[in-house]
């Protein structure tokens, strides 16, 4: 549909003002070169394929098997990545040549995967054995200690007993003493025992359950292990106790074993004799050392393998993702009846035709195909996608506009003016050149380190700030400018451009606090007179000034919006919109709020005392009354009458004629259509579908009329409410200057007053944090949002339809963003 | 300096800026028009802001009353 574009509009072609002319092209690609062709088109990234198989499910499509294969390979790569992250190996890009054949890579990936998983399984087994041995060694040591101490005590007792026995062989010696002696070897009781480790947090419960289950017929000894032990089963580090439990009888043993299992207590064989224990310990230690070297060797081998993978990981990953996206695209093409060709359809910018053709030719040559792919332009009534060629400076602005709504195909793009007006309106609310410089430094930091930061992965907030660095840069520049206009540097004024225009009335200066100063010199040449700062009349003066400024800026921007609608109407050759939308809207807005702006300026220039509220209100309530003292210029009453009349006429002008004209046009076209030759109809329908948003096949008059009614009411009410909405410029700017002066006076100046270094430093720190946190971060954010709203609502609703859809070309450079989708 | 002189200065600065962008980044007619639009819009915005504040101070109805300290 690129043919419609040239001419029209109120400007010669301008970058970014209209979206690129697009065309629907059809490609007929021989099947043997299809893969390469799509791959080259992906490199080019200027063609959005249409899905010609949308009725087929993903499994019915031609290349479903290949996609599955790619998915499998991607899974393997993810597995490698996980393993690399676990092992602390980072993938690094290498420039080495590598085999780009996808089949070979598939085989290689499968080999590596099986090798890696085998290695993992072996390593796990070894590790488990190792952990078991470590536990076993602990048991041997701790339980050995226990046995050892018990034995030595028993020996001591024996000795004591014997000594007593020898010395005290007297009359007092009880006769039955022998039977009651503990540890008497003469009457052996067969005691069994189990040794092992139990997690420390469970040890108390373990003991209790053992006691209950055996009715107290056990003897449990526990010792804490100082360092956490790696559990062989779970592989986690846990605090554990070594226990030895003595019992009598096989039945009790069975119970104890079950309880041990339930508590996850690992048991280890343990010999009673000391000699055997020592032997076991040395045996276990030997085995441990042996295992350790084996495990280390295995780990080293594994790390080597992973490093090997790491050098090629990125390349493989990219290749697999490319391959997958190529097959996805191939699945969108339809197979020719002869099964020798694939047919593709897609949108592409008109300027890219040559590049697409080049890609097709190269693909045919490189894949030794006899026939090259055929490109032909199709005609369609479908609305093409919207594509703006942005650069790094304009793309964030385009992003702001797109997040409200993507422009209709070839509609006037608000971005062109937003690039300037957005940061300007922001700065009106954020006027302080001190803060502006801080913001500028932040933006410059991001801009200078642009190359480095853009390759890094940033967190959400930094990413957002980084993306908007050029917006912030512009906002900072305008803030510095408006800061000079408001004469505020961290809320402090400087007489930079001239001495103040105000002086005392007489030498004694007695009146200066009651009646005030008097203007003697010429008006302060640039910005606000510094004398206003801190005076009692500062707020009334600033409020009046900023309120009026908001209205003036607002009316100007709304007029710009309406003029943009004129550009649209001219571009789409829609004279109805010019005569019955643009002109009455201009008249309505300007006869009310344009007139208000005029009154404001006249009042400033003449210094009249007239009450503008009164003038505006009585313009409606009693337009014929005499203005009296509120008259600003001669003939004002008559002018007001005329303007009121014009505004009154403009409303039905907007409302009534357009639906009737559309109806008439539709009838005329309908009459034409049935007799017109066929190609013409196609053309005209194309044009119509593009130009006329209401031009559906069926013409519903009542619907059109209601639509127009809503549109008119919206505009009329909007003119009032939108103008009022611009007063947020005043409110936010007031809030900003008041906040910064509070921080300056109540924190910095207060601290200064104490004449104490420590208080001054504390005050300075508080001041810096308050300035950065509240003024530079929160105020920036709120001013940004309000500027956003003024653009989205007050400015764009005058002309912007925003019902288009974005151009999504098939491009390898966009693969990263689609990572989650695929 | 009166209103007209400063306005003229703004106009001159605007024209110089236009020429600068034309000379420094000349990237075809459509890009140049875009740059021109940006510079003109920026100049008009800045001028409006200055003009509003200047006009408001020309014949003041409120005068500064110093806070008695």
């Amino acid at each position: 549909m690129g043919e419609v574009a040239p001419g029209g509009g109120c400007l010669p072609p301008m970058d970014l003002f209209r979206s690129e002319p697009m065309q629907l092209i059809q490609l007929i690609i021989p099947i043997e070169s299809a893969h390469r062709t799509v791959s080259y088109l992906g490199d080019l990234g200027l063609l959005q394929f249409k899905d010609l198989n949308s009725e087929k499910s993903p499994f019915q499509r031609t290349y479903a098997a290949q996609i599955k294969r790619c998915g499998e390979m991607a899974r393997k790569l993810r597995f490698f990545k996980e393993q690399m992250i676990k092992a602390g190996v980072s993938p690094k890009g290498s420039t080495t040549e590598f085999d780009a054949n996808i089949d070979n890579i598939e085989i290689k990936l499968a080999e590596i995967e099986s090798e890696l998983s085998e290695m993992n399984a072996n390593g796990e087994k070894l590790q488990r054995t190792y952990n078991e041995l470590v536990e076993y060694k602990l048991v041997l040591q701790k339980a050995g200690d226990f046995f050892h101490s018990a034995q030595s005590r028993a020996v001591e007792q024996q000795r004591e007993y014997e000594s007593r026995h020898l010395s005290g062989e007297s009359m007092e010696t009880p006769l039955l003493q022998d039977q009651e002696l503990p540890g008497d070897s003469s009457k052996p009781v067969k005691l069994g025992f189990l040794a092992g480790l139990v997690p420390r947090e469970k040890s108390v419960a373990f003991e209790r359950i053992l006691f209950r289950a055996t009715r107290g017929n056990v003897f449990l000894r526990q010792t804490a292990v100082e360092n956490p032990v790696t559990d062989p089963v779970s592989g986690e580090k846990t605090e554990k106790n070594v226990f030895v439990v003595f019992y009598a009888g096989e039945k009790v043993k069975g119970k104890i074993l079950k309880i041990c299992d339930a508590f996850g207590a690992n048991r280890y064989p343990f010999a009673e004799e000391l000699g055997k224990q020592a032997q076991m310990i040395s045996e276990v230690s030997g085995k441990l050392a042996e295992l350790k070297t084996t495990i280390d060797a295995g780990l080293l081998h594994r790390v080597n393998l992973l490093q090997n993978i790491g050098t090629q990981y990125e390349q493989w990953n990219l290749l697999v993702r490319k391959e997958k996206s190529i097959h996805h695209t191939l699945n969108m093409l339809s197979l020719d009846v002869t099964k020798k060709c694939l047919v593709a359809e897609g949108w592409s910018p008109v300027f890219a035709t040559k590049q697409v053709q080049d890609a097709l030719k190269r693909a045919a040559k490189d894949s030794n195909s006899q026939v090259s792919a055929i490109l032909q332009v199709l005609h369609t009534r479908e609305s093409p996608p919207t594509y703006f060629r942005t650069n790094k400076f304009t793309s964030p602005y385009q992003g702001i506009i797109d997040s409200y709504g993507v422009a209709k195909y070839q509609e006037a793009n608000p971005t062109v003016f937003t690039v300037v007006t957005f940061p300007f309106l922001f700065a009106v609310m954020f006027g302080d050149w001190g803060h502006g410089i801080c913001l500028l430094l932040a933006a410059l930091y991001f801009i200078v380190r642009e190359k480095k930061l853009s390759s890094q992965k940033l967190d959400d907030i930094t990413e957002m700030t980084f993306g908007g660095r050029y917006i912030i840069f512009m906002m900072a520049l305008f803030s510095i400018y408006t800061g000079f206009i408001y004469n505020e540097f961290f809320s402090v004024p400087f007489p930079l451009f001239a001495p103040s225009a105000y002086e005392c009335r007489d030498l004694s200066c007695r009146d200066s606090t009651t009646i005030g100063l008097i203007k003697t010199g010429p008006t302060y040449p640039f910005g606000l007179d510094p004398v206003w700062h801190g005076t009692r009349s500062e707020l009334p003066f600033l409020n009046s000034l900023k309120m009026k400024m908001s209205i003036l800026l607002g009316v100007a921007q709304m007029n710009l919006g309406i003029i943009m609608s004129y550009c649209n109407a001219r571009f789409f050759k829609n004279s109805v919109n010019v005569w019955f939308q643009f002109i009455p809207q201009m008249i309505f807005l300007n006869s009310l709020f344009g007139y208000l702006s005029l009154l404001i300026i006249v009042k400033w220039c003449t210094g009249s005392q007239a009450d503008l509220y009164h003038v505006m209100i009585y313009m409606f309530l009693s337009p014929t009354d005499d203005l009296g003292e509120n008259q600003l210029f001669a003939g004002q009453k008559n002018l007001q009458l005329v303007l009121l009349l014009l505004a009154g006429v403009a409303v039905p002008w907007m409302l009534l004629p357009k639906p009737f004209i559309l109806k008439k046009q539709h009838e005329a076209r309908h009459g034409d259509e049935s007799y017109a030759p066929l190609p013409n109809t196609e053309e005209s329908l194309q044009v119509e579908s593009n130009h006329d948003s209401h031009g559906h096949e069926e013409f519903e008059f009542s619907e059109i009329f209601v639509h127009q009614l809503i549109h008119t009411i919206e505009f009329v009410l909007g003119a009032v409410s939108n103008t009022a909405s611009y007063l947020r410029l005043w409110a936010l700017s007031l809030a900003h200057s008041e906040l910064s002066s509070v921080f300056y006076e109540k924190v910095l100046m207060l601290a200064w007053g104490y004449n104490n270094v420590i208080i001054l430093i504390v005050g300075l720190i508080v001041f810096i944090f308050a300035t950065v946190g509240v003024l530079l971060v929160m105020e920036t954010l709120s001013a940004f949002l309000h500027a956003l709203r003024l653009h989205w609502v007050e400015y764009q609703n005058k002309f912007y339809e925003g019902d288009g859809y974005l151009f999504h070309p098939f491009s390898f450079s966009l693969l990263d963003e689609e990572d989650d989708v695929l | 300096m009166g209103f007209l002189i400063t306005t003229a200065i703004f106009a001159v600065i605007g024209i110089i800026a236009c020429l600068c962008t034309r000379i420094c980044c000349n990237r075809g007619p459509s890009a140049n028009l875009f740059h021109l639009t940006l510079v003109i819009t920026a100049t008009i915005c800045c001028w409006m802001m200055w003009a509003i504040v200047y006009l408001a101070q020309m014949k003041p109805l409120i005068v500064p009353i110093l806070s008695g300290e």
Side-chain angles (χ1 to χ4, degrees), chain A residues 9 564-575 577-578 582:
Chain A
M564 293 282 271
S565 81
Y566 169 72
C567 289
N568 269 340
R570 277 286 301 274
F571 183 79
F572 294 126
K573 301 195 183 65
N574 189 341
S575 56
N577 274 358
V578 176
F582 165 70

Side-chain angles (χ1 to χ4, degrees), chain A residues 170-305:
Chain A
S170 58
M171 302 301 271
E172 299 104 66
T173 315
L175 288 166
L176 292 169
Q177 201 178 24
D178 280 10
Q179 277 106 1
E180 291 162 22
L181 270 177
D184 189 0
S185 51
S186 61
K187 209 180 170 201
V189 180
K190 186 61 195 149
L191 279 181
F193 67 90
L194 286 165
L197 280 145
V198 65
R200 189 167 302 163
E201 70 259 26
K202 291 185 190 164
S203 60
V204 178
F206 179 61
E207 189 169 353
R208 197 172 298 149
I209 296 279
L210 270 182
F211 190 80
R212 282 186 193 159
T214 57
R215 302 210 175 81
N217 286 325
V218 286
F219 178 65
L220 181 76
R221 229 359 241 265
Q222 294 197 47
T223 335
V225 179
E226 299 82 30
N227 299 322
V229 186
T230 318
D231 190 73
V233 182
S234 64
E236 279 165 17
K237 290 221 163 207
T238 38
E239 305 250 307
K240 284 196 171 182
N241 282 356
V242 171
F243 69 87
V244 184
V245 54
F246 297 90
Y247 59 87
E250 279 304 307
K251 226 177 175 182
V252 178
K253 185 183 180 185
K255 275 186 190 168
I256 293 174
L257 285 178
K258 273 183 196 153
I259 291 167
C260 282
D261 286 342
F263 275 87
N266 307 319
R267 298 172 311 275
Y268 296 95
F270 189 77
E272 216 170 330
E273 299 101 73
L274 283 175
K276 225 175 184 181
Q277 278 176 24
Q279 193 195 331
M280 292 278 265
I281 286 183
S282 67
E283 213 172 273
V284 167
S285 303
K287 263 192 201 166
L288 271 177
E290 219 170 83
L291 264 179
K292 182 88 190 143
T293 47
T294 322
I295 288 173
D296 283 348
L299 275 181
L300 194 70
H301 189 61
R302 185 160 170 269
V303 166
N304 277 342
L305 181 71

Side-chain angles (χ1 to χ4, degrees), chain A residues 595-614:
Chain A
Y595 176 60
L596 175 61
S597 308
L598 181 78
L599 287 185
I600 289 171
I601 292 169
V602 169
K603 185 177 166 179
W604 277 341
C605 292
T606 57
S608 151
Q609 302 265 359
D611 183 359
L612 295 187
Y613 299 116
H614 193 273

Side-chain angles (χ1 to χ4, degrees), chain B residues 53-69:
Chain B
V53 173
Y54 186 89
L55 287 177
Q57 295 183 99
M58 271 200 326
K59 303 220 165 106
L61 297 177
I62 312 170
V63 290
I65 304 168
L66 301 186
S67 51
E69 271 170 34

Side-chain angles (χ1 to χ4, degrees), chain A residues 12-15 416 420 424 481 485 502 512-513 516-517 519 525-527 529 532 534-537 545 604-605 607-608, chain B residues 10 30-31 33-34 37-38 41-42 45-46 48-50 52-53 55-68:
Chain A
M14 168 162 45
D15 268 11
V416 173
V420 173
F424 175 69
Y481 178 80
I485 293 275
Y502 294 88
S512 65
T513 53
L517 307 173
K519 189 179 171 196
F526 190 85
D529 201 313
W532 287 104
T535 56
R536 278 198 280 148
S537 49
L545 164 64
W604 277 341
C605 292
S608 151
Chain B
F10 268 98
S30 62
L33 183 64
F34 175 59
T37 314
L38 293 191
T41 319
C45 285
C46 290
M48 263 185 86
M49 184 94 184
W50 166 82
I52 287 165
V53 173
L55 287 177
Q57 295 183 99
M58 271 200 326
K59 303 220 165 106
L61 297 177
I62 312 170
V63 290
I65 304 168
L66 301 186
S67 51

Side-chain angles (χ1 to χ4, degrees), chain B:
Chain B
M1 271 198 293
F3 181 79
L4 291 177
I5 296 171
T6 318
T7 303
I9 292 172
F10 268 98
V12 169
I13 292 173
I15 290 167
I16 291 171
C18 288
L19 291 177
C20 284
T21 49
R22 179 71 176 75
I23 293 161
C24 297
C25 22
N26 184 2
R27 302 209 188 97
S30 62
N32 287 339
L33 183 64
F34 175 59
H35 296 154
L36 192 72
T37 314
L38 293 191
V39 173
I40 290 176
T41 319
T43 315
I44 290 178
C45 285
C46 290
W47 172 79
M48 263 185 86
M49 184 94 184
W50 166 82
I52 287 165
V53 173
Y54 186 89
L55 287 177
Q57 295 183 99
M58 271 200 326
K59 303 220 165 106
L61 297 177
I62 312 170
V63 290
I65 304 168
L66 301 186
S67 51
E69 271 170 34

